[in-house]
PDB file of all heavy atoms in Angstrom:
ATOM      1  N   GLY U 195      12.946  59.883 -13.158  1.00  0.00           N
ATOM      2  CA  GLY U 195      13.705  60.721 -12.249  1.00  0.00           C
ATOM      3  C   GLY U 195      15.008  61.171 -12.858  1.00  0.00           C
ATOM      4  O   GLY U 195      15.093  61.534 -14.017  1.00  0.00           O
ATOM      5  N   ALA U 196      16.059  61.149 -12.021  1.00  0.00           N
ATOM      6  CA  ALA U 196      17.360  61.640 -12.461  1.00  0.00           C
ATOM      7  C   ALA U 196      17.953  60.802 -13.571  1.00  0.00           C
ATOM      8  O   ALA U 196      18.839  61.245 -14.292  1.00  0.00           O
ATOM      9  CB  ALA U 196      18.322  61.687 -11.264  1.00  0.00           C
ATOM     10  N   ALA U 197      17.490  59.574 -13.719  1.00  0.00           N
ATOM     11  CA  ALA U 197      18.033  58.704 -14.760  1.00  0.00           C
ATOM     12  C   ALA U 197      17.539  59.100 -16.145  1.00  0.00           C
ATOM     13  O   ALA U 197      18.096  58.694 -17.149  1.00  0.00           O
ATOM     14  CB  ALA U 197      17.658  57.250 -14.474  1.00  0.00           C
ATOM     15  N   GLY U 198      16.457  59.872 -16.211  1.00  0.00           N
ATOM     16  CA  GLY U 198      15.894  60.251 -17.492  1.00  0.00           C
ATOM     17  C   GLY U 198      16.289  61.655 -17.893  1.00  0.00           C
ATOM     18  O   GLY U 198      17.081  62.335 -17.235  1.00  0.00           O
ATOM     19  N   CYS U 199      15.724  62.100 -19.014  1.00  0.00           N
ATOM     20  CA  CYS U 199      15.929  63.463 -19.513  1.00  0.00           C
ATOM     21  C   CYS U 199      17.403  63.750 -19.774  1.00  0.00           C
ATOM     22  O   CYS U 199      17.894  64.843 -19.486  1.00  0.00           O
ATOM     23  CB  CYS U 199      15.362  64.494 -18.542  1.00  0.00           C
ATOM     24  SG  CYS U 199      13.660  64.187 -18.052  1.00  0.00           S
ATOM     25  N   ARG U 200      18.102  62.786 -20.352  1.00  0.00           N
ATOM     26  CA  ARG U 200      19.533  62.941 -20.573  1.00  0.00           C
ATOM     27  C   ARG U 200      19.862  62.832 -22.057  1.00  0.00           C
ATOM     28  O   ARG U 200      19.213  62.106 -22.815  1.00  0.00           O
ATOM     29  CB  ARG U 200      20.329  61.905 -19.785  1.00  0.00           C
ATOM     30  CG  ARG U 200      20.125  61.990 -18.279  1.00  0.00           C
ATOM     31  CD  ARG U 200      20.989  60.999 -17.535  1.00  0.00           C
ATOM     32  NE  ARG U 200      22.412  61.285 -17.680  1.00  0.00           N
ATOM     33  CZ  ARG U 200      23.070  62.159 -16.941  1.00  0.00           C
ATOM     34  NH1 ARG U 200      22.442  62.842 -15.998  1.00  0.00           N
ATOM     35  NH2 ARG U 200      24.357  62.366 -17.124  1.00  0.00           N
ATOM     36  N   LEU U 201      20.898  63.559 -22.444  1.00  0.00           N
ATOM     37  CA  LEU U 201      21.391  63.559 -23.820  1.00  0.00           C
ATOM     38  C   LEU U 201      22.736  62.857 -23.875  1.00  0.00           C
ATOM     39  O   LEU U 201      23.618  63.111 -23.047  1.00  0.00           O
ATOM     40  CB  LEU U 201      21.541  64.994 -24.331  1.00  0.00           C
ATOM     41  CG  LEU U 201      22.262  65.152 -25.676  1.00  0.00           C
ATOM     42  CD1 LEU U 201      21.408  64.605 -26.819  1.00  0.00           C
ATOM     43  CD2 LEU U 201      22.620  66.610 -25.935  1.00  0.00           C
ATOM     44  N   SER U 202      22.892  61.968 -24.857  1.00  0.00           N
ATOM     45  CA  SER U 202      24.166  61.285 -25.066  1.00  0.00           C
ATOM     46  C   SER U 202      24.558  61.413 -26.529  1.00  0.00           C
ATOM     47  O   SER U 202      23.748  61.130 -27.410  1.00  0.00           O
ATOM     48  CB  SER U 202      24.045  59.803 -24.682  1.00  0.00           C
ATOM     49  OG  SER U 202      25.210  59.083 -25.065  1.00  0.00           O
ATOM     50  N   VAL U 203      25.772  61.858 -26.772  1.00  0.00           N
ATOM     51  CA  VAL U 203      26.291  61.980 -28.138  1.00  0.00           C
ATOM     52  C   VAL U 203      27.607  61.231 -28.203  1.00  0.00           C
ATOM     53  O   VAL U 203      28.540  61.534 -27.457  1.00  0.00           O
ATOM     54  CB  VAL U 203      26.485  63.450 -28.551  1.00  0.00           C
ATOM     55  CG1 VAL U 203      27.045  63.529 -29.967  1.00  0.00           C
ATOM     56  CG2 VAL U 203      25.167  64.212 -28.465  1.00  0.00           C
ATOM     57  N   ASP U 204      27.681  60.247 -29.086  1.00  0.00           N
ATOM     58  CA  ASP U 204      28.860  59.391 -29.215  1.00  0.00           C
ATOM     59  C   ASP U 204      29.387  59.484 -30.637  1.00  0.00           C
ATOM     60  O   ASP U 204      28.798  58.945 -31.568  1.00  0.00           O
ATOM     61  CB  ASP U 204      28.478  57.946 -28.872  1.00  0.00           C
ATOM     62  CG  ASP U 204      29.679  57.004 -28.855  1.00  0.00           C
ATOM     63  OD1 ASP U 204      30.774  57.417 -29.295  1.00  0.00           O
ATOM     64  OD2 ASP U 204      29.523  55.861 -28.411  1.00  0.00           O
ATOM     65  N   ALA U 205      30.505  60.209 -30.805  1.00  0.00           N
ATOM     66  CA  ALA U 205      31.168  60.349 -32.107  1.00  0.00           C
ATOM     67  C   ALA U 205      30.175  60.704 -33.208  1.00  0.00           C
ATOM     68  O   ALA U 205      30.188  60.122 -34.284  1.00  0.00           O
ATOM     69  CB  ALA U 205      31.916  59.067 -32.455  1.00  0.00           C
ATOM     70  N   SER U 206      29.302  61.649 -32.922  1.00  0.00           N
ATOM     71  CA  SER U 206      28.249  62.025 -33.855  1.00  0.00           C
ATOM     72  C   SER U 206      28.037  63.535 -33.811  1.00  0.00           C
ATOM     73  O   SER U 206      28.722  64.255 -33.082  1.00  0.00           O
ATOM     74  CB  SER U 206      26.946  61.288 -33.515  1.00  0.00           C
ATOM     75  OG  SER U 206      27.114  59.885 -33.617  1.00  0.00           O
ATOM     76  N   TRP U 207      27.072  63.992 -34.608  1.00  0.00           N
ATOM     77  CA  TRP U 207      26.817  65.423 -34.761  1.00  0.00           C
ATOM     78  C   TRP U 207      25.439  65.793 -34.221  1.00  0.00           C
ATOM     79  O   TRP U 207      24.472  65.068 -34.424  1.00  0.00           O
ATOM     80  CB  TRP U 207      26.870  65.823 -36.227  1.00  0.00           C
ATOM     81  CG  TRP U 207      28.232  65.875 -36.843  1.00  0.00           C
ATOM     82  CD1 TRP U 207      28.997  66.986 -37.067  1.00  0.00           C
ATOM     83  CD2 TRP U 207      28.992  64.782 -37.369  1.00  0.00           C
ATOM     84  NE1 TRP U 207      30.188  66.642 -37.684  1.00  0.00           N
ATOM     85  CE2 TRP U 207      30.209  65.294 -37.878  1.00  0.00           C
ATOM     86  CE3 TRP U 207      28.764  63.399 -37.442  1.00  0.00           C
ATOM     87  CZ2 TRP U 207      31.174  64.497 -38.468  1.00  0.00           C
ATOM     88  CZ3 TRP U 207      29.735  62.597 -38.019  1.00  0.00           C
ATOM     89  CH2 TRP U 207      30.924  63.137 -38.530  1.00  0.00           C
ATOM     90  N   LEU U 208      25.359  66.960 -33.585  1.00  0.00           N
ATOM     91  CA  LEU U 208      24.079  67.526 -33.166  1.00  0.00           C
ATOM     92  C   LEU U 208      24.145  69.035 -33.317  1.00  0.00           C
ATOM     93  O   LEU U 208      25.104  69.676 -32.866  1.00  0.00           O
ATOM     94  CB  LEU U 208      23.763  67.171 -31.704  1.00  0.00           C
ATOM     95  CG  LEU U 208      22.533  67.871 -31.102  1.00  0.00           C
ATOM     96  CD1 LEU U 208      21.256  67.424 -31.807  1.00  0.00           C
ATOM     97  CD2 LEU U 208      22.435  67.602 -29.601  1.00  0.00           C
ATOM     98  N   ASP U 209      23.138  69.614 -33.959  1.00  0.00           N
ATOM     99  CA  ASP U 209      23.022  71.062 -34.104  1.00  0.00           C
ATOM    100  C   ASP U 209      21.608  71.432 -33.675  1.00  0.00           C
ATOM    101  O   ASP U 209      20.633  71.128 -34.367  1.00  0.00           O
ATOM    102  CB  ASP U 209      23.274  71.466 -35.561  1.00  0.00           C
ATOM    103  CG  ASP U 209      23.481  72.972 -35.711  1.00  0.00           C
ATOM    104  OD1 ASP U 209      23.009  73.725 -34.845  1.00  0.00           O
ATOM    105  OD2 ASP U 209      24.105  73.399 -36.697  1.00  0.00           O
ATOM    106  N   ALA U 210      21.467  72.062 -32.498  1.00  0.00           N
ATOM    107  CA  ALA U 210      20.152  72.340 -31.928  1.00  0.00           C
ATOM    108  C   ALA U 210      20.010  73.825 -31.641  1.00  0.00           C
ATOM    109  O   ALA U 210      20.896  74.434 -31.023  1.00  0.00           O
ATOM    110  CB  ALA U 210      19.947  71.542 -30.645  1.00  0.00           C
ATOM    111  N   THR U 211      18.876  74.410 -32.061  1.00  0.00           N
ATOM    112  CA  THR U 211      18.673  75.846 -31.941  1.00  0.00           C
ATOM    113  C   THR U 211      17.287  76.157 -31.412  1.00  0.00           C
ATOM    114  O   THR U 211      16.290  75.607 -31.897  1.00  0.00           O
ATOM    115  CB  THR U 211      18.844  76.535 -33.313  1.00  0.00           C
ATOM    116  OG1 THR U 211      20.096  76.163 -33.878  1.00  0.00           O
ATOM    117  CG2 THR U 211      18.778  78.038 -33.169  1.00  0.00           C
ATOM    118  N   GLY U 212      17.215  77.043 -30.419  1.00  0.00           N
ATOM    119  CA  GLY U 212      15.942  77.507 -29.882  1.00  0.00           C
ATOM    120  C   GLY U 212      16.166  78.766 -29.068  1.00  0.00           C
ATOM    121  O   GLY U 212      17.191  78.893 -28.380  1.00  0.00           O
TER     122      GLY U 212
END
Side-chain angles (χ1 to χ4, degrees):
C199 309
R200 300 183 65 84
L201 170 69
S202 171
V203 179
D204 185 350
S206 299
W207 286 260
L208 172 65
D209 193 336
T211 307

